[in-house]
Amino acid sequence: MRILGVSGSLRAASFNSALLRAAADLAPDGVTVEPYGLHDLPLFNADVEADGDPPAVTAWKDAIRAADGILFACPEYNAGITGVLKNAIDWASRGDPAPLTGQVACIVGASPGMTGSARAQDQLRLILRRTLTHVAPIGEILVFQAHTKIEDGQLKDERTTALLGSHFQRFVDEVRERRGRARA
Ligand code: FNR
């Protein structure tokens, strides 16, 4: 099973990208988390789209189509998702069928504040509902005070690691069930 790991932060020392690395380490046998960087995506522009997707957009859409599921690590900027992530979703919401349509997704998030990106995660759920992406109904991972739990890009907090591991396992189970149902 191939899970695409998508961080909404471009920051080298991103707490959210660190969560994706931790999830990759916790992945059950036979499951890989492949990080996908959003650095090269241009800003969405319908005029550009009308001339044909730029190569970076085609690569992004192909990566979504090739994946069995998407693990979003969702930072919070001003009580919402980052522009980087919204832009990437906007590109992937286009096409017939759009790459996000019918995909299975999981959301995690971290912030140095006390709410652990809760508001951004709620907003992301709403956006993904609009794109007909199935967000696994498996509860939330809100890594609050992330600077006390993630050091040098590594998740160090044992409780958070255990929660992330069981969350990820539930996501894998959900992907298996949905994919199995689609094949049946
Ligand atoms: C933030 N940050 C932030 N945090 C939060 O919990 N709620 C918020 O509304 C905001 N707003 C916000 C706006 C802007 C413009 C910036 C740059 C930052 C702090 C943010 O959570 C912090 O920078 C995280 O470290 C960002 O995630 P990464 O880059 O570590 O993954």
Side-chain angles (χ1 to χ4, degrees), residues 9 11 13-17 75-79 110-113 115 117 119:
S9 172
R11 209 165 69 85
S14 162
F15 296 130
N16 287 279
S17 303
E76 182 168 293
Y77 281 4
N78 295 309
S111 106
T115 54
S117 83
R119 291 168 295 186

